Amino acid sequence: VAKSAKKNTAESINARLALVMKSGKVNMGYKSGIKAIRNAKAKLVIISANCPPMRKWEIEYYAHLAKVGVHQFAGNNIELGTACGKFYRVSMLSIIDAGDSDIIKTMPEEN
């Protein structure tokens, strides 16, 4: 039962990410993500599971100072890139404008 619930959550996250990519505004990557957090533009940060620990700590630290929600993506950086509809790896994703998606309201509660 727990496996199917985890799979449904992953599918809903992927669906919400696809909607954000279509209708919202995002920054992909570490440097642009940190820049968005520092400038108080990011609303939510999504980090892949295989992001290096020191980099993950730094992202979470900046996000905590800026009061930005952080979500740990269940998959690795290849899966996060695929969920965004890209053919490259994405270790970090910062959502600036969610568009039509409700991802900002639902993500921090799940973490």
Side-chain angles (χ1 to χ4, degrees):
V1 178
K3 241 184 184 179
S4 65
K6 191 174 184 180
K7 190 174 182 183
N8 286 340
T9 319
E11 287 174 2
S12 88
I13 291 169
N14 290 350
R16 288 185 182 123
L17 265 176
L19 188 58
V20 168
M21 294 303 292
K22 274 190 173 183
S23 64
K25 184 166 172 34
V26 298
N27 278 346
M28 284 186 244
Y30 172 73
K31 285 172 78 174
S32 61
I34 290 291
K35 215 178 273 188
I37 293 171
R38 279 193 200 147
N39 296 333
K41 291 183 179 178
K43 307 272 192 308
L44 176 71
V45 174
I46 300 174
I47 306 172
S48 68
N50 65 340
C51 186
M54 192 66 187
R55 185 172 280 194
K56 188 182 288 189
W57 178 83
E58 186 179 2
I59 294 165
E60 289 172 346
Y61 177 72
Y62 278 119
H64 177 73
L65 290 177
K67 296 182 177 82
V68 175
V70 177
H71 178 74
Q72 304 289 333
F73 189 73
N76 60 14
N77 55 0
I78 297 169
E79 293 167 358
L80 182 57
T82 305
C84 294
K86 304 297 180 189
F87 294 112
Y88 47 83
R89 300 175 296 232
V90 176
S91 66
M92 174 189 171
L93 176 80
S94 58
I95 298 173
I96 302 204
D97 178 33
D100 299 332
S101 179
D102 61 341
I103 195 165
I104 295 172
K105 295 173 191 147
T106 57
M107 283 300 175
E109 296 164 6
E110 291 176 4
N111 193 0

